[in-house]
Amino acid sequence: MKSVVEIEDQFQLATYKKMPIAAERGEGVWIYTTDGDKYLDLYGGHAVAGTGHCHPHVVQAIREQSEKLLFYSNLVYSDARAGAAERLVSVAPTALTKAFFCNSGTEANENGMRMARMATGRENVITFSGGFHGRTADAISATFLGKYREIGKPNVPGHLEATFGDIESVRALVDDNVAAIMLEPIQSMAGVRMAQPAFYRELRELCDEHGVVLIYDEVQTGVGRTGEWFFAGSAAGDGVVPDVVTLAKALGSGVPVGACLVTEAISSHIKENDLGTTFGGGMLAMAAVTATLEAIQNDRMLANVKLVEAHLRERLREIEQVVAVRGLGLLLGIEFNDKAAPVHKALLEQKIITGTSSDANVLRLLPPLCLSAEHVDLFVAQLEKICTS
Ligand SMILES: Cc1ncc(COP(=O)(O)O)c(C=O)c1O
């Protein structure tokens, strides 16, 4: 009989570099495989399992909603959608007053850029080297990282590249044709890179001065990952609130959903039929959003993220081969004095899932927000062994 790995390799396009494990079941920070193994998941299914795998509150909400109504379009009202929109806006910075729901991160970014163009009547968008924004036409054209723009050829015109953390490089590009500046406030794929708080403030001021829309792509940093609901408004970003925040990944705990949160000023430019998508705001996804936000709140996950981050940083000091720990909350990049890929592989052999990045020396951690100090100790013990062997 063929294994799961063999069947998938035969019938699925080979577009992913897969780990040789078959995930069957998940619970909290654990993934159980079809072979009966158990893995500590410090990758969170690519930052999606924010509430942990199969959080009982989320599972129950999805189950209950699925027995009532799986889907109806935005042409009718729904208590599931009303509840999700109200709750999402209630945890966002107060200037962000309206939500638009879609299905993924790339789609949220496409809509964010579109709204900026509609609000300003301009076309160009400035993004940053090292930023990743998705794989659909406009979002991939905004992605100045590795080979992505090349894959997306022909690119959408009007995308300009600035240097992350360097305000003068942005200033040199801003003119009356620029509709938006969009950034990952913490560049995840690039190796978890952050800018100084002053950079975010200077971007805000530059946008205000020139009538440019500031968009934070919080597909990874949003929904509690940094120990705050959003990077927008947080101290790490000098309290700056952008005009648009885009979300996906952890927003539905694994049920596909994306969103844009926008200010009144932006929403005043958006009219009927300007944006839309069939599945956006569907009842099942909306039930998942509400339950995800409730689970984070009920389990005090934001406070947990900060405690566990502090513990992890402390413990990693014991490992000589670790030269830096970058990032915030549970979006962390561990920089080694050598390549991270062998460490990633060795950890997997010890049944710990982590992530790599486009920086060869950086191992990425994007675990569930319910990670505990004990889980960290388990990880550090294995990492220590690997680094000294
Ligand atoms: C920061 C960021 N933006 C956008 C995306 C695209 O999201 P999706 O894969 O849901 O389209 C990703 C995905 O990894 C991301 O990390």
Side-chain angles (χ1 to χ4, degrees), residues 46 104-107 109 132-134 184 189 217 219-220 248-249:
H46 205 43
S104 66
T106 197
E107 201 187 344
N109 288 334
F132 180 83
H133 301 292
E184 278 184 272
M189 193 104 93
D217 172 346
V219 167
Q220 291 218 15
K249 292 208 189 283

Side-chain angles (χ1 to χ4, degrees), residues 125-130 144-145 149 159-163 169-170 173:
V125 176
I126 298 174
T127 51
F128 294 87
S129 27
F144 293 95
L145 175 71
R149 285 191 102 236
H159 284 282
L160 310 172
E161 178 183 13
T163 306
S169 76
V170 192
L173 296 174

Side-chain angles (χ1 to χ4, degrees), residues 165-247:
D166 174 2
I167 196 67
E168 292 313 319
S169 76
V170 192
R171 211 184 296 281
L173 296 174
V174 173
D175 61 21
D176 289 351
N177 296 320
V178 173
I181 297 174
M182 180 166 77
L183 65 151
E184 278 184 272
I186 303 175
Q187 291 191 332
S188 179
M189 193 104 93
V192 191
R193 301 193 313 173
M194 277 177 81
Q196 295 299 320
F199 177 66
Y200 305 98
R201 174 63 52 196
E202 286 162 346
L203 279 180
R204 180 69 275 180
E205 286 167 2
L206 198 58
C207 285
D208 291 343
E209 200 182 316
H210 293 271
V212 171
V213 175
L214 184 60
I215 305 175
Y216 277 8
D217 172 346
E218 294 221 45
V219 167
Q220 291 218 15
T221 57
V223 201
R225 182 143 299 279
T226 64
E228 305 287 344
W229 280 111
F230 304 101
F231 189 90
S234 72
D238 200 19
V240 163
V241 178
D243 306 291
V244 179
V245 166
T246 63
L247 302 168

